[in-house]
């Protein structure tokens, strides 16, 4: 059975983007960037992979599929990325989006939980949920693993890690690493009753 992993950058106060979906407050590269390149290279957008020697040719290690929320995908569109992860199967979870400008990016307009459950039964590598907060909240019951790059910054408001109402869900720590930059990468699995 494939796993759904929510791998995302967050602030100390639990936001994954500013109120207008900006990510510029996050530290990029630096010492934790080498960890991402080594551990999860397929999470870099295709355009960036092509600029790093040898990375575009490297096989996917953990994921062959990416899920994005509408806000996450539209943020990439504003930057000109119609197909941000061409090296992965790409899906946008959205009830209000009819289509995308690139045929390699499919819209999941139906029940996203049923869709993810079907994906999990397929053969292949893992499924990466790259954002956003609403998609994570919708898919929360199917998230098997949570990897958070916690950045040493507080922003006060923005897009929360899970944009939902109060409903406790427990996770168990798998690993954690603190980098000299102040970024902490924590990996959790969902606690099973």
């Amino acid at each position: 059975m494939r796993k759904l992993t929510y791998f995302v950058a967050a602030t100390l106060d639990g936001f994954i983007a500013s109120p207008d979906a900006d990510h510029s407050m996050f530290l990029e590269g630096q010492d934790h960037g080498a960890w991402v390149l080594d551990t999860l290279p397929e999470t870099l957008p295709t355009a960036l992979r092509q600029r790093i020697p040898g990375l575009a040719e490297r096989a996917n290690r953990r994921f062959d599929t990416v899920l994005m929320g509408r806000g996450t995908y539209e943020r990439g569109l504003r930057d000109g990325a119609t197909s941000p992860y061409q090296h992965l199967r790409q899906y946008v979870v959205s009830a209000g989006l009819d289509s995308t400008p690139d045929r390699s990016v499919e819209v999941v307009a139906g029940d996203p939980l049923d869709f993810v459950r079907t994906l999990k039964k397929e053969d292949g590598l893992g499924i990466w949920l790259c954002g956003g907060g609403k998609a994570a909240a919708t898919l929360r019951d199917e998230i098997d693993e949570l990897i958070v790059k916690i950045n040493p910054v507080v922003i006060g408001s923005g897009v929360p890690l899970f944009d939902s109402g109060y409903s406790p869900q427990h996770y168990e720590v798998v690993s954690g690493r603190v980098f000299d930059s102040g970024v902490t990468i924590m990996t959790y699995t969902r606690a099973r009753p």
Side-chain angles (χ1 to χ4, degrees), residues 152-169:
V153 62
V154 173
I155 62 173
S157 69
V159 178
L161 191 64
F162 290 92
D163 193 357
S164 64
Y166 180 79
S167 176
Q169 190 172 47

Side-chain angles (χ1 to χ4, degrees), residues 35-108:
W35 181 91
V36 173
L37 281 175
D38 185 53
T39 310
L40 303 168
E42 59 270 32
T43 62
L44 274 74
T46 302
L48 182 57
R49 288 172 58 94
Q50 293 170 345
R51 288 186 262 164
I52 299 172
L55 188 58
E57 295 80 26
R58 190 182 300 178
N60 295 338
R61 292 189 178 171
R62 294 266 321 265
F63 308 116
D64 62 11
T65 304
V66 62
L67 298 175
M68 300 168 267
R70 179 178 179 168
T72 299
Y73 181 67
E74 287 181 340
R75 174 66 187 165
L77 284 179
R78 288 196 299 258
D79 294 336
T82 59
S83 178
Y85 301 100
Q86 297 167 14
H87 54 284
L88 300 171
R89 291 170 49 199
Q90 304 170 89
Y91 299 99
V92 179
V93 176
S94 175
L97 188 65
D98 295 324
S99 64
T100 67
D102 192 297
R103 292 184 321 192
S104 67
V105 181
E106 295 181 43
V107 176
V108 177

Side-chain angles (χ1 to χ4, degrees), residues 176-192:
R177 181 165 174 193
V178 180
F179 294 86
D180 290 340
S181 62
V183 171
T184 301
I185 298 180
M186 296 296 300
T187 301
Y188 304 90
T189 57
R190 193 173 68 212
R192 304 292 178 182

Side-chain angles (χ1 to χ4, degrees), residues 127-187:
I127 306 157
W128 170 39
L129 173 60
C130 73
K134 286 184 183 6
T138 300
L139 297 172
R140 190 166 75 157
D141 289 340
E142 287 299 321
I143 294 173
D144 303 293
E145 181 179 51
L146 180 59
I147 304 174
V148 186
K149 285 190 305 181
I150 304 166
N151 285 252
V153 62
V154 173
I155 62 173
S157 69
V159 178
L161 191 64
F162 290 92
D163 193 357
S164 64
Y166 180 79
S167 176
Q169 190 172 47
H170 297 277
Y171 286 80
E172 297 172 353
V173 174
V174 173
S175 65
R177 181 165 174 193
V178 180
F179 294 86
D180 290 340
S181 62
V183 171
T184 301
I185 298 180
M186 296 296 300
T187 301

